[in-house]
Amino acid sequence: MGCVDRAARCQRSAHEGDEHYGLLAELDTYGTALWLCWRGAYVDLVVLRDCPVAGPGPDGDGCCLFAGHTEQHTWEDASEEVLCTS
């Protein structure tokens, strides 16, 4: 899957397993985005709703992942580089 890893970078924080998600485009329709999902040799395009959770405080950053992701929110991952287009 080296070609996918070069074209899209997994945006989830450190996680177990080999399922990865790379953001391709914000769709601006009902808070959705187009994601590339890959696991081993399996690759798929999926439209997922944006994660609705924002960081603490009145000006908290929104999470840059999709609704229902299993690991921490992107604003909780301050120690690592987080790719976010919003």
Side-chain angles (χ1 to χ4, degrees), residues 34-82:
L34 180 63
W35 291 82
L36 181 68
C37 174
W38 67 99
R39 171 183 238 156
Y42 170 79
V43 177
D44 198 11
L45 291 173
V46 292
V47 174
L48 300 171
R49 294 191 56 75
D50 296 341
C51 179
V53 180
D59 296 326
D61 291 333
C63 181
C64 297
L65 294 172
F66 47 89
H69 62 89
T70 57
E71 57 284 324
Q72 61 197 30
H73 300 288
T74 54
W75 45 264
E76 294 175 308
D77 199 15
S79 64
E80 296 179 23
E81 177 184 339
V82 176

Side-chain angles (χ1 to χ4, degrees), residues 16-27:
E16 293 185 22
D18 62 351
E19 187 170 69
H20 306 285
Y21 289 86
L23 178 65
L24 294 180
E26 292 287 338
L27 298 180

